[in-house]
């Protein structure tokens, strides 16, 4: 199946721990994103990578560090987890240039529900 | 930066009736307006989008209208069905991060649509 996949789907951990969420897309896209969705369903961009280059870095604590080993992968590492980090984290991807046309649709993964206790 | 407001936050309609969700945006430079549907436990999925050079777009039971002067856009769903029940997000994009690259989406706060059988 062509898609954006994330692992794990659920992550329960204690305050102070370090954890990673992995994302892979097999759509051949050149841009990947991390979004955070809080308990009120509000979706906010955190990071974006284009061709492995960081191009969006919103006001996010530096405990969050994205890593893109290649165009198909964008991982999110979180240090010293806090209660307020509990949320659903979505990875997304898009292809924004193909010859002279621009495409804007972002394809979202299924999400990772992070619970910090 | 861009600010997107979405109303209503919850909407209940009888099956077969129409549903309308409205959004306003703040940045007149925004020129791409997608609508996403998020079903329970899943990632958002694009259902329709419109660019600023178009005033209306329709896809079967779904239509989107855009009023650039007033800076608002709306989603219209006709002949609603129970499977339309989900959270709907509007978004606006005003930023091309780098040449030929990603666009940053600012999402509205979401509308929980419930279609009653």
């Amino acid at each position: 199946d062509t898609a954006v996949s994330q692992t794990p789907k659920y992550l329960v951990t204690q305050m102070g721990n370090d954890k990673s969420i992995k994302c892979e897309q097999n759509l051949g896209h050149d841009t990947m994103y991390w979004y955070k969705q809080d308990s009120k369903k509000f979706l906010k961009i955190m990071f974006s990578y284009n061709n492995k280059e960081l191009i969006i870095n919103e006001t996010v604590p530096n405990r969050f560090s994205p890593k893109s080993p290649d165009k198909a992968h964008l991982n999110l590492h979180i240090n010293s987890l806090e209660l307020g980090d509990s949320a659903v984290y979505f990875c997304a991807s898009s292809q924004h240039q193909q010859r002279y046309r621009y495409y804007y649709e972002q394809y979202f993964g299924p999400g990772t529900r992070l619970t910090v206790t | 930066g861009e600010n997107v407001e979405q109303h209503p936050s919850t909407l209940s309609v009888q099956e077969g009736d129409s549903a309308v969700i409205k959004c306003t945006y703040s940045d007149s430079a925004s020129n791409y307006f997608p609508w996403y549907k998020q079903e329970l436990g899943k990632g958002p999925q694009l259902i329709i989008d419109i660019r600023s050079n178009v005033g209306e777009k329709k896809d079967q039971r779904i239509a989107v209208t855009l009023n650039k002067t007033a800076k608002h856009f709306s989603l219209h769903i006709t002949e609603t069905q129970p499977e339309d029940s989900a959270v709907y997000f509007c978004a606006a994009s005003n930023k091309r991060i780098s040449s030929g690259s990603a666009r940053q989406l600012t999402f509205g706060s979401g509308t929980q649509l419930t279609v009653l059988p």
Side-chain angles (χ1 to χ4, degrees):
Chain A
D1 287 342
T2 54
V4 180
S5 59
Q6 295 178 229
T7 54
K9 187 165 176 63
Y10 300 97
L11 185 53
V12 181
T13 188
Q14 291 184 326
M15 285 175 54
N17 284 349
D18 303 339
K19 290 293 179 184
S20 292
I21 306 171
K22 295 186 176 182
C23 177
E24 177 181 4
Q25 55 93 4
N26 61 6
L27 299 164
H29 288 167
D30 62 3
T31 306
M32 296 185 72
Y33 311 80
W34 278 110
Y35 285 88
K36 179 180 180 180
Q37 186 171 49
D38 63 22
S39 58
K40 296 184 178 180
K41 297 283 189 182
F42 188 66
L43 262 173
K44 187 167 171 56
I45 183 80
M46 299 174 68
F47 301 104
S48 177
Y49 270 75
N50 175 253
N51 289 317
K52 300 199 299 173
E53 178 187 352
L54 181 65
I55 54 172
I56 298 176
N57 186 354
E58 290 296 291
T59 307
V60 176
N62 57 15
R63 299 180 294 104
F64 290 79
S65 54
K67 284 186 173 54
S68 181
D70 54 58
K71 283 171 52 174
H73 296 84
L74 180 62
N75 304 323
L76 184 65
H77 188 76
I78 315 170
N79 290 329
S80 303
L81 278 156
E82 300 178 357
L83 292 176
D85 298 332
S86 295
V88 180
Y89 291 84
F90 287 101
C91 177
S93 73
S94 61
Q95 178 64 36
H96 282 290
Q97 187 173 19
Q98 188 171 354
R99 295 201 175 181
Y100 303 107
R101 294 187 63 190
Y102 294 90
Y103 301 86
Y104 304 127
E105 178 175 0
Q106 293 185 18
Y107 293 77
F108 283 77
T112 295
R113 181 174 293 278
L114 171 64
T115 304
V116 183
T117 61
Chain B
E2 177 64 280
N3 182 49
V4 177
E5 295 192 359
Q6 182 171 347
H7 300 280
S9 56
T10 60
L11 179 60
S12 292
V13 298
Q14 289 294 137
E15 183 176 358
D17 286 351
S18 295
V20 180
I21 302 170
K22 298 182 178 183
C23 289
T24 60
Y25 61 99
S26 60
D27 190 337
S28 56
S30 288
N31 58 6
Y32 172 64
F33 307 91
W35 286 88
Y36 282 81
K37 175 184 180 183
Q38 185 178 18
E39 296 177 338
L40 197 61
K42 296 184 179 180
Q45 183 176 14
L46 182 75
I47 55 172
I48 194 167
D49 57 12
I50 191 167
R51 301 188 189 188
S52 58
N53 58 349
V54 176
E56 184 173 357
K57 185 176 177 181
K58 192 173 182 181
D59 182 4
Q60 299 181 335
R61 297 186 297 108
I62 295 173
V64 57
T65 59
L66 171 65
N67 183 327
K68 285 177 57 179
T69 304
K71 290 191 280 189
H72 66 70
F73 56 114
S74 301
L75 177 71
H76 305 252
I77 306 174
T78 58
E79 301 172 25
T80 53
Q81 301 166 3
E83 51 266 37
D84 294 330
S85 296
V87 178
Y88 290 81
F89 291 95
C90 63
S93 175
N94 65 338
K95 187 184 295 186
R96 182 176 298 169
I97 306 306
S98 60
S99 177
S101 186
R103 299 187 75 85
Q104 182 167 338
L105 293 179
T106 301
F107 283 86
S109 52
T111 296
Q112 174 69 62
L113 173 65
T114 303
V115 180
L116 304 168

